[in-house]
Amino acid sequence: MAAAATSPAPAVAWAFAAATCVKLLLVPTYLSTDFDVHRYWLALTHALPLRRWYTDASSQWTLDYPPFFAYFSRFLAVPAPLVDASLVSLPVPDAPPSFAFLLYLRLTVAFSDLLLLASVLLLATDARRRRRPFLALALVLWSPALLAVDHVHFQYNGFLMGMLLLSLHFLEQGRDLAGGVVFAALLCSKHLFLVAAPVYFVYLFRHYCCGRGVVRGLGRLVLMGASVAAVFAAAFAPFLYYGQMQQLFNRLFPFGRGLCHAYWAPNFWVFYITIDKILAFLLRRLGFDIQIPEASFTGGLVGNSSPFAVLPKVTPITTFLLVILAMSPCLMKAFYKPQPKHIIRWVSYATTCGFMFGWHVHEKASLHFTIPLVLIAMDSLEDAKHYFVLSIVSCYSLFPLLFENQEYPIKVLLLLTYATLMWVGFSSHFAANSAQEEKKVNRSGNRVKKNSFAGWVSCSYLLGIVAIELWSQVFHHYVFGNRLPFLPLMMLSLYCGVGMMYSWMWQLAWILKHT
């Protein structure tokens, strides 16, 4: 018992095992287009030589992740023929996959989550050498958003988040070189984490290279630069040799896809687009000749033409500048006072800025900040209140990904279970802390004031999610029939966008005040 009390590893391992059992139960769920994408990439990297990976256009599911992820797909393809030869055959068969085929691909996702488990175990100790609460670690492994996106919709975010958390662990422990190298490997696996690069650059430059004398600081700068360059060389050198860098970067950064995804991520741009639609409608009613773009609520905003009728066109450079501007307070804090204890919060805020103001943001990108933030969710009551709302909003915003009827009870049950676990766990944790503080009487004889876990504003907002869901599932059909099919999705994006904007502003205020 004493060993179990000092080490969270056995409890975390049991939590991971329980999550794995849930993942196995999700094997027969629906097959998304992302399943087809990764199925094709497995066959592509196995059947074709490396020089054709980024030039092959025989399928619509072209490879558009960086080289390390392509190597990862190639690694997963090695034992695949032993299970089902069609896993690695081109062209991919049109027939539905066999159960062995399906089980193998599902298990590759569960297997890759071992990196997430390892990172969580390492993060059991924070930057101050204090034990993190077991619940904070378990909530990473039990994230309903991660279960839904990876083990139903089908992606490898657990593996990628494991790399990010591993990098953050190294930075928290002062092992900056290792943290920088792992982050470089992450960028070579999924380039969307590039939004955190400014924070990494500023923090590593100031914390690792500066303040140690000119010669030693320069030596460290060269060492860090050479190590990161070596990682990028390992990823991109073969494609540079084959003269495919332009093709590769066109795959990684397809700016022609437009500002928003077909389903609007709940960020700043959902309000911008909605205001434009409202202004266009009002001005047309007043007699103004306003041309409505062809892009609709249901089709998304794609292509190079401006989808806006009234407001100015938004370009990729505009979104880039907005992201950097939103991130600048965090960058200044990291530059003037780089502290390992704040690195998780700074990186999470940077990825939040990318989500809120970035170009063609997918709703799944909310995982990039909700997963790291859970590690510090129990640092204070205010952190717990913030994460409680954020995690529910983030998970609910992913509901449209699981759109088939048979998956509806699954996503609702996952979210309700996680919300209940947070409510009970956070309430118990802070109630115990409050009870200890109440025993301490200050010099004036006043007892420490008790704080409630969730205020009425948060509870009212979360109850609004129930109202949105009831409208989408029940009342919309009775009121409008088959008309306005975009309305439920638009309401969901707008309502969740309010919660995401709150989270961004809350994080910014905390960073300005406390770091």
Side-chain angles (χ1 to χ4, degrees):
M1 287 294 291
T6 57
S7 173
V12 172
W14 276 109
F16 180 78
T20 303
C21 292
V22 174
K23 296 168 189 176
L24 294 176
L25 292 175
L26 298 175
V27 167
T29 51
Y30 92 107
L31 304 183
S32 69
T33 54
D34 277 337
F35 179 90
D36 295 329
V37 167
H38 289 284
R39 173 189 183 185
Y40 181 76
W41 291 357
L42 206 71
L44 171 75
T45 54
H46 183 273
L48 297 181
L50 181 143
R51 66 177 179 274
R52 293 183 57 191
W53 288 0
Y54 288 97
T55 59
D56 175 75
S58 59
S59 169
Q60 60 178 321
W61 313 123
T62 52
L63 180 60
D64 58 4
Y65 271 29
F68 274 2
F69 196 90
Y71 302 154
F72 174 65
S73 295
R74 180 65 181 88
F75 169 74
L76 296 179
V78 172
L82 301 176
V83 177
D84 189 330
S86 65
L87 272 164
V88 291
S89 62
L90 285 181
V92 173
D94 293 330
S98 65
F99 182 75
F101 189 129
L102 173 63
L103 181 62
Y104 179 80
L105 281 179
R106 294 287 192 191
L107 288 179
T108 61
V109 183
F111 168 77
S112 67
D113 283 346
L114 288 172
L115 180 58
L116 181 65
L117 170 64
S119 300
V120 167
L121 288 171
L122 291 172
L123 283 160
T125 303
D126 67 14
R128 301 180 181 92
R129 302 298 192 271
R130 300 180 308 183
R131 287 291 185 190
R132 284 194 165 94
F134 163 72
L135 180 60
L137 306 177
L139 287 175
V140 175
L141 303 175
W142 291 340
S143 167
L146 202 55
L147 288 170
V149 172
D150 279 12
H151 301 279
V152 180
H153 186 73
F154 199 90
Q155 285 191 346
Y156 291 88
N157 290 287
F159 170 70
L160 297 167
M161 293 308 304
M163 294 180 69
L164 177 63
L165 296 187
L166 180 62
S167 173
L168 292 174
H169 160 73
F170 286 137
L171 296 187
E172 271 201 332
Q173 301 303 319
R175 300 168 63 183
D176 292 345
L177 181 62
V181 168
V182 173
F183 181 68
L186 175 62
L187 293 182
C188 293
S189 301
K190 190 168 185 179
H191 53 300
L192 298 184
F193 288 95
L194 193 62
V195 70
V199 170
Y200 267 85
F201 176 82
V202 170
Y203 176 82
L204 290 174
F205 177 74
R206 289 287 287 119
H207 191 261
Y208 182 71
C209 301
C210 297
R212 292 172 169 79
V214 175
V215 175
R216 189 178 180 189
L218 185 60
R220 286 194 164 205
L221 180 63
V222 171
L223 178 61
M224 178 66 75
S227 301
V228 171
V231 173
F232 277 87
F236 290 95
F239 305 97
L240 180 63
Y241 174 78
Y242 289 121
Q244 296 177 1
M245 291 303 293
Q246 183 176 356
Q247 175 68 21
L248 194 156
F249 278 95
N250 287 340
R251 290 277 184 90
L252 298 184
F253 302 101
F255 291 115
R257 287 183 178 178
L259 174 63
C260 294
H261 195 237
Y263 161 54
W264 300 347
N267 59 14
F268 172 79
W269 300 117
V270 73
F271 301 105
Y272 190 85
I273 298 165
T274 303
I275 292 171
D276 180 79
K277 300 295 183 184
I278 293 172
L279 288 175
F281 173 78
L282 294 176
L283 290 175
R284 283 171 66 92
R285 294 295 295 266
L286 292 172
F288 290 90
D289 183 19
I290 302 295
Q291 299 298 319
I292 304 296
E294 291 183 3
S296 67
F297 288 100
T298 53
L301 304 174
V302 294
N304 293 312
S305 61
S306 172
F308 303 107
V310 179
L311 296 180
K313 177 182 179 179
V314 178
T315 62
I317 190 64
T318 303
T319 62
F320 171 78
L321 293 175
L322 276 176
V323 170
I324 295 298
L325 179 64
M327 202 186 299
S328 56
C330 175
L331 297 178
M332 289 188 286
K333 291 285 186 177
F335 183 83
Y336 287 111
K337 200 174 181 181
Q339 298 181 65
K341 65 181 181 180
H342 294 314
I343 190 61
I344 289 179
R345 200 177 297 274
W346 287 336
V347 170
S348 299
Y349 176 72
T351 53
T352 305
C353 291
F355 181 86
M356 294 306 301
F357 304 104
W359 179 268
H360 198 76
V361 174
H362 286 233
E363 64 285 346
K364 299 181 286 290
S366 61
L367 289 168
H368 299 173
F369 53 92
T370 54
I371 296 298
L373 281 174
V374 70
L375 294 167
I376 55 176
M378 299 176 73
D379 284 5
S380 70
L381 180 63
E382 294 305 313
D383 278 307
K385 289 179 178 180
H386 165 250
Y387 182 76
F388 181 75
V389 174
L390 172 63
S391 61
I392 292 174
V393 172
S394 171
C395 184
Y396 181 63
S397 72
L398 298 172
F399 269 30
L401 288 178
L402 279 59
F403 55 86
E404 295 193 0
N405 292 333
Q406 60 266 30
E407 273 78 43
Y408 187 79
I410 295 174
K411 61 187 181 184
V412 172
L413 186 60
L414 287 175
L415 178 54
L416 290 179
T417 303
Y418 195 75
T420 303
L421 183 64
M422 285 191 295
W423 182 275
V424 174
F426 290 168
S427 298
S428 301
H429 175 80
F430 290 104
N433 288 350
S434 179
Q436 292 177 1
E437 290 175 359
E438 282 186 346
K439 295 178 182 178
K440 302 175 183 177
V441 180
N442 60 27
R443 294 177 182 176
S444 62
N446 295 323
R447 293 186 179 276
V448 176
K449 184 181 178 181
K450 244 183 174 179
N451 289 312
S452 60
F453 167 63
W456 68 270
V457 175
S458 298
C459 290
S460 300
Y461 174 76
L462 294 176
L463 285 174
I465 289 179
V466 178
I468 295 290
E469 189 64 11
L470 284 173
W471 172 267
S472 301
Q473 298 298 323
V474 180
F475 299 114
H476 178 83
H477 175 74
Y478 288 105
V479 175
F480 293 110
N482 294 326
R483 293 178 295 127
L484 304 180
F486 60 83
L487 187 59
L489 277 179
M490 186 186 75
M491 291 172 62
L492 189 150
S493 294
L494 282 168
Y495 198 79
C496 291
V498 173
M500 291 296 188
M501 287 295 293
Y502 153 76
S503 174
W504 171 70
M505 291 186 289
W506 187 93
Q507 291 180 63
L508 175 60
W510 201 102
I511 287 170
L512 291 174
K513 185 177 180 181
H514 297 288
T515 66

